Amino acid sequence: MIQKPKGTYDVYGKYGKNLLYLRDLIQALMEKYHYQYIRTPMFESSELYHRGVGETTDIVSKETYDFLDRGDRKMTLRPEGTAGVVRSFIENKMYGEASQPIKCWYYGPMYRYERPQSGRFREFYQFGVEVFGTDDPLADAEVISIPVNLYKLLGLKGIKVNINTLGDMESRKQYREVLLDYFKPHLDCLCEDCKKRYATNPLRILDCKVDKDLDIMKNAPKISDYLNDISKTHFDKVKKYLEAMNIEYTVDESLVRGLDYYTHTVFEVEASVEGFGSQNVLCGGGRYDSLVETIGGPKTAGVGFATGIERLMTALEYEKKLPGNLDNLDIYIIPMRDNEKEYSLNLLNMLRMNGFSSEMDMLNRGIKSNFKQADRLNSKYVIIIGENEISSNILTIKNNQTKDEFKVSIDELITFFDENIEDSEE
Ligand code: HAM
C-alpha cells in the first residue's frame, strides 16, 4: 500500500471539523485586530530563502525541500511565511499604499525536512502575522498580544511569554564581537554544531540545547550589557506596553531564535500543558528592521510572529478545549420508498438554500435504522416523506430530541424552521 510521506498527516473527520473551528476563530480575531488576509505561493525561488531566512540557519542549511522545476529554475517549498510575505510586500509595492502601517495575517502549510517527532512535522501549518512600516514598540507589543489573546480565547492556561532583545544592528554587531572573543578559548568544549555557529552565527551558541548546562554558557556575556540607548529604550517600551495590556512576561537572555533576520525584540510563547512533552513552544516571532532591505525593498521596519497549528491543536486536545460533539444537523429527511426520492431531493435542496444544514438517506435504510442515523448525526428534526405527504403537501416534522410531532404545510416550512431552529451554525 502506498503510504503518506514521513512527517505528514491526513486531516479528516472530527479533527477536520476542529481545525476549521480553530481557523474560523483565528479569522474572527484577525478581523477584530483589523489585519488583512494575505496568501503567497507555497514555493518561491530558492534565493529568497537564502537571502531572507539566512544561509547559516538550520532551516536553510539542512531543512529545505529544494527542487529544479521543468525550466531548470531553483525552487524551494516555503519553510516559513515571513520571507514570502516580505517578497510580496516589495513586489506589490505595499510600502507605497496610503494607509500605513501594513498589517497582514496568513494561514497555510510550511515545509521543513526535520526529524519527525511529536510536535514536529515535515508539512505543518502556521498562522502568522507581519506588520510593516512602523518601528514603534507599540507594534511589537500588539504582535505579542495576538497569540496571547488567541490562546486565552481558546481557553488555554499556563501560557508563558518569554521575551528578549537582540538590539539594533549596531548593538548586535558589538555583542557578536564580544561573544567571539569570549568563546574563542573555549571552542574545544563546545559541540560540533556550536563550533560551526562560532564561525557563522555566534549568537546562536547561546540557545544550544546540547551545551546549555556548561559553565561557559552560564557565564557568557549578556546582551543587556551591550545594548546602545536606542535598543534599551525600545525594549523598555515593549515591556511597558505589555504591562499596559496586563500581559505577563519573562525576560530570557538566552532566547535568540533560529532565524537570522531578527533585530530588537524576539519572543516565544510556551504552554505548560501536562503531558505535552518538550515541543511546548507554541509560537515565535520578533522584529526584523533590515529584512525588507535585504530582500531588495526600501528600508522598512517589520515585526511578526507565527504559531504552529499542530502544536496548538495538541495543546487544545490535552486541555479538552475543543468542541465536543461537533456533528449537529438541522434536518434529516427520510424518503419512504424510491418514488419519494425526487420530492425529498427537491425539499433537501430548498432547505439547504434557505440556510439549514440538511441531509437525506442515501442508503435505502429501513425506518428504524434511519432514526438511528438521525441520532448519530445529532439531527434536530426529522421529516419522513411518503405518498400522503406528497399528495397533500403537508409534512410531518418530528423534533428528534423531544419527539414532538408537527404538521406543517410545505409553504410554511421555512417559516417553521426559522422560528424553531435558532442558529444553524451553533
Ligand atoms: P519559527 O519559530 O521557525 O518562526 O516557527 C514558528 C512556529 O511554527 C513554532 O513556534 C512552531 O509552533 C511551529 N513550527 C516550526 N517548525 C515546525 C515543525 N517542523 N512542525 C510543527 N510546527 C512547527 C518562524 O517561522 C518565523 N517566520 C516567525 C515569524 C514571523 N517571525 C517574524 N514573523
Side-chain angles (χ1 to χ4, degrees):
M1 197 191 61
I2 299 173
Q3 294 185 333
K4 61 184 181 306
K6 219 172 145 185
T8 67
Y9 63 99
D10 298 317
V11 169
Y12 57 92
K14 194 172 169 189
Y15 192 84
K17 270 207 147 188
N18 277 323
L19 262 183
L20 292 181
Y21 155 79
L22 176 58
R23 206 204 53 193
D24 286 352
L25 205 129
I26 288 171
Q27 183 173 337
L29 182 67
M30 283 298 87
E31 276 161 21
K32 304 284 183 307
Y33 267 84
H34 202 251
Y35 278 47
Q36 304 166 26
Y37 177 66
I38 186 166
R39 204 184 77 183
T40 59
M42 274 187 258
F43 62 94
E44 299 264 4
S45 66
S46 303
E47 193 198 346
L48 174 68
Y49 299 110
H50 286 268
R51 266 212 257 169
V53 178
E55 210 86 59
T56 65
T57 58
D58 283 355
I59 297 179
V60 167
S61 62
K62 302 188 202 152
E63 296 169 2
T64 50
Y65 278 88
D66 300 312
F67 62 99
L68 278 183
D69 74 5
R70 286 171 195 270
D72 280 343
R73 296 174 199 88
K74 280 189 189 156
M75 294 290 165
T76 297
L77 293 185
R78 63 180 181 201
E80 57 102 54
T82 310
V85 173
V86 170
R87 196 265 314 130
S88 172
F89 172 82
I90 300 168
E91 196 167 341
N92 294 299
K93 299 191 174 58
M94 292 184 212
Y95 47 81
E97 285 181 17
S99 166
Q100 298 287 336
I102 300 291
K103 298 177 172 183
C104 43
W105 70 279
Y106 52 89
Y107 181 102
M110 309 291 159
Y111 300 85
R112 294 185 194 177
Y113 193 79
E114 294 193 85
R115 195 167 62 79
Q117 47 184 298
S118 107
R120 227 171 244 293
F121 296 88
R122 289 184 172 173
E123 180 186 69
F124 61 98
Y125 275 63
Q126 278 187 347
F127 152 54
V129 313
E130 312 297 347
V131 174
F132 298 101
T134 171
D135 58 7
D136 195 310
L138 271 178
D140 309 40
E142 175 173 285
V143 165
I144 297 173
S145 80
I146 294 174
V148 172
N149 283 339
L150 173 67
Y151 304 153
K152 262 191 206 158
L153 280 176
L154 287 163
L156 287 182
K157 296 197 185 78
I159 294 301
K160 189 165 172 261
V161 181
N162 296 318
I163 58 171
N164 191 23
T165 179
L166 303 178
D168 62 3
M169 276 304 177
E170 187 190 272
S171 308
R172 215 181 131 154
K173 229 166 136 189
Q174 199 199 344
Y175 183 51
R176 186 177 186 275
E177 296 303 319
V178 171
L179 283 182
L180 287 176
D181 287 347
Y182 174 78
F183 281 117
K184 199 170 184 180
H186 304 293
L187 273 181
D188 285 345
C189 322
L190 297 178
C191 73
E192 286 310 307
D193 273 344
C194 280
K195 284 188 186 120
K196 281 188 210 138
R197 286 174 189 141
Y198 180 83
T200 54
N201 190 352
L203 249 75
R204 289 228 46 217
I205 297 176
L206 298 176
D207 77 346
C208 177
K209 303 284 175 286
V210 181
D211 294 336
K212 70 177 190 316
D213 295 325
L214 298 179
D215 279 345
I216 44 160
M217 296 293 267
K218 290 179 193 153
N219 300 328
K222 302 246 178 289
I223 179 86
S224 51
D225 294 328
Y226 298 91
L227 295 174
N228 59 16
D229 284 347
I230 297 175
S231 306
K232 254 187 225 147
T233 310
H234 187 98
F235 196 45
D236 286 343
K237 282 190 177 165
V238 173
K239 291 187 277 187
K240 208 168 72 183
Y241 295 149
L242 288 177
E243 283 152 27
M245 287 185 285
N246 299 317
I247 294 176
E248 284 178 33
Y249 60 82
T250 307
V251 176
D252 174 358
E253 292 216 53
S254 71
L255 182 68
V256 298
R257 311 246 320 118
L259 301 102
D260 272 358
Y261 46 63
Y262 294 114
T263 47
H264 289 291
T265 319
V266 286
F267 74 97
E268 287 183 349
V269 183
E270 288 172 30
S272 36
V273 174
E274 210 166 321
F276 197 26
S278 60
Q279 300 299 333
N280 60 352
V281 176
L282 291 181
C283 77
R287 178 165 278 287
Y288 47 85
D289 287 347
S290 306
L291 183 61
V292 177
E293 229 179 341
T294 308
I295 294 183
K299 188 166 171 42
T300 310
V303 54
F305 90 97
T307 186
I309 294 296
E310 293 74 14
R311 290 189 198 174
L312 187 49
M313 285 289 284
T314 310
L316 294 169
E317 270 165 3
Y318 273 116
E319 295 276 273
K320 302 200 169 38
K321 296 295 179 197
L322 289 167
N325 186 0
L326 288 162
D327 235 332
N328 60 0
L329 185 70
D330 291 330
I331 301 145
Y332 185 75
I333 305 172
I334 308 174
M336 292 294 279
R337 281 167 301 266
D338 224 41
N339 286 346
E340 284 96 34
K341 282 186 178 166
E342 279 159 77
Y343 186 94
S344 301
L345 192 60
N346 181 276
L347 182 65
L348 177 71
N349 206 34
M350 176 184 84
L351 289 170
R352 286 175 171 167
M353 292 303 285
N354 277 281
F356 299 104
S357 63
S358 317
E359 274 252 41
M360 90 182 230
D361 174 41
M362 293 195 176
L363 288 178
N364 300 308
R365 293 176 174 90
I367 194 85
K368 228 175 147 182
S369 128
N370 255 320
F371 269 101
K372 256 197 195 149
Q373 177 66 359
D375 288 344
R376 263 185 228 118
L377 301 180
N378 213 11
S379 187
K380 297 189 182 88
Y381 289 90
V382 175
I383 309 179
I384 302 172
I385 304 294
E387 254 173 78
N388 291 343
E389 281 75 16
I390 296 181
S391 57
S392 66
N393 268 330
I394 307 280
L395 308 184
T396 305
I397 296 166
K398 190 163 186 163
N399 182 317
N400 201 34
Q401 270 108 49
T402 62
K403 308 294 173 200
D404 292 337
E405 282 193 5
F406 308 88
K407 296 270 183 214
V408 182
S409 103
I410 189 99
D411 302 330
E412 308 275 308
L413 195 66
I414 298 303
T415 318
F416 174 85
F417 285 130
D418 273 342
E419 283 166 5
N420 288 285
I421 297 178
E422 268 183 15
D423 180 354
S424 60
E425 288 295 309
E426 263 178 13

